[in-house]
Amino acid sequence: MSSDFGPARPEHRLTSEPLLAFHDVSKTYDTFAAGTKHALDRVSFEISPGERIAIVGRSGSGKSTLLHLAAGIDLPTSGTVRWKNTDLRSLTERRRTLIRRDDIGLVFQFFHLLSHLSVAENVALPELIAGGRLRTFRPRVMHLLERVGLDDRADDVVDRLSGGEMQRVAICRALLRQPTMLLADEPTGNLDDATGQAVMDLMLELAEETNSALVYVTHSHELATRADAVWTLHSGTLDLS
Ligand code: ADP
């Protein structure tokens, strides 16, 4: 398998400006049944280009909420989320969608692949949605698939793959547009231990090769220790130590 993964982005290592910064971020949800839920409580942190952060915490501690705010899918109730020094609240929803499309790769526990499309079409999906044609992106798609050992499955329908293979396809899709940050919500949560390890190895390797920052939520202590730092959420408060 080739390790040539397109141009590295050394300029990111030279700047001290954070890629993502949360300042005093709180998020509450108003629910009919349970009243106001405090999902995040005055959370502050910075993530630098190329940095790898694992987020751990019990179910309901706010991990998914934090990732949603980081991706600009949702906005905080109070506090600021800055992406490359721009307050996400100051941007239109369209602009936030473009940042997510062009700059951020998302990986989910349940893969979120389209089962009736081929492996290659699933990887190319962000470009196909943007109006591109698979033919144009096929070389990059194949390069990514080769990198994760699935180039010979490119034209198979995706639902013939195993869970580990599906997650590798989802990682390729997340990396298609060479994002500056990958956000992964329990990417190995639906995989057995050995497959999860292998998928995590690949994600860490690929993030490093592309100099993408990587923020991943995990329940596995072992997988968490692979990051540069492990942050713990306790009922919405973040412990960075
Ligand atoms: P985790 O990912 O750590 O399991 P979440 O971020 O999903 O935690 O949830 C944090 C808290 O916020 C939980 O109490 C959850 O029930 C609540 N919550 C999350 N999303 C919503 C929502 N859309 N509406 C109401 N409550 C929510």
Side-chain angles (χ1 to χ4, degrees):
M1 282 192 280
S2 165
S3 64
D4 171 17
F5 203 77
R9 296 180 172 182
E11 72 273 17
H12 288 142
R13 298 239 184 240
L14 300 177
T15 160
S16 57
E17 200 171 272
L19 201 55
L20 175 72
F22 275 41
H23 182 67
D24 251 352
V25 168
S26 295
K27 178 71 185 174
T28 57
Y29 296 104
D30 290 319
T31 65
F32 181 72
T36 301
K37 279 248 175 197
H38 294 268
L40 289 182
D41 186 19
R42 304 194 65 179
V43 166
S44 298
F45 63 79
E46 290 183 353
I47 293 175
S48 303
E51 204 174 4
R52 297 167 310 175
I53 305 293
I55 298 187
V56 298
R58 292 186 169 183
S59 179
S61 59
K63 304 180 298 297
S64 299
T65 301
L66 187 150
L67 289 190
H68 284 174
L69 296 179
I73 294 168
D74 208 351
L75 290 170
T77 310
S78 62
T80 52
V81 175
R82 300 178 86 81
W83 172 254
K84 293 183 178 170
N85 225 6
T86 300
D87 183 349
L88 288 183
R89 190 182 294 283
S90 71
L91 303 176
T92 61
E93 189 154 349
R94 164 97 185 126
R95 187 73 202 106
R96 291 204 308 272
T97 302
L98 290 179
I99 289 176
R100 201 152 53 242
R101 190 191 73 183
D102 296 338
D103 255 337
I104 297 176
L106 296 168
V107 178
F108 304 95
Q109 180 176 357
F110 294 106
F111 323 132
H112 293 199
L113 300 175
L114 295 184
S115 58
H116 58 288
L117 296 184
S118 72
V119 167
E121 285 165 337
N122 268 282
V123 175
L125 208 56
E127 295 293 359
L128 299 178
I129 289 170
R133 295 174 143 225
L134 178 56
R135 212 177 333 133
T136 322
F137 301 100
R138 182 113 184 155
R140 172 141 178 89
V141 167
M142 291 310 294
H143 183 67
L144 284 160
L145 287 174
E146 186 187 322
R147 191 63 191 78
V148 302
L150 288 173
D151 46 322
D152 58 340
R153 309 295 298 274
D155 297 315
D156 282 1
V157 173
V158 84
D159 64 6
R160 299 221 183 100
L161 302 184
S162 69
E165 289 168 340
M166 286 191 192
Q167 195 58 299
R168 285 189 267 155
V169 173
I171 290 168
C172 290
R173 181 187 56 192
L175 288 167
L176 184 72
R177 295 178 76 102
Q178 299 185 274
T180 34
M181 184 169 69
L182 267 183
L183 298 175
D185 198 351
E186 294 197 46
T188 65
N190 205 32
L191 307 174
D192 63 69
D193 282 355
T195 310
Q197 287 273 4
V199 162
M200 200 66 224
D201 284 343
L202 264 173
M203 199 159 65
L204 286 159
E205 263 176 56
L206 293 172
E208 183 157 0
E209 284 172 26
T210 56
N211 200 28
S212 290
L214 170 62
V215 182
Y216 61 97
V217 166
T218 182
H219 280 298
S220 158
H221 178 72
E222 200 179 337
L223 293 182
T225 57
R226 312 278 300 280
D228 300 319
V230 183
W231 297 346
T232 309
L233 270 165
H234 303 279
S235 305
T237 57
L238 188 62
D239 180 356
L240 302 180
S241 57

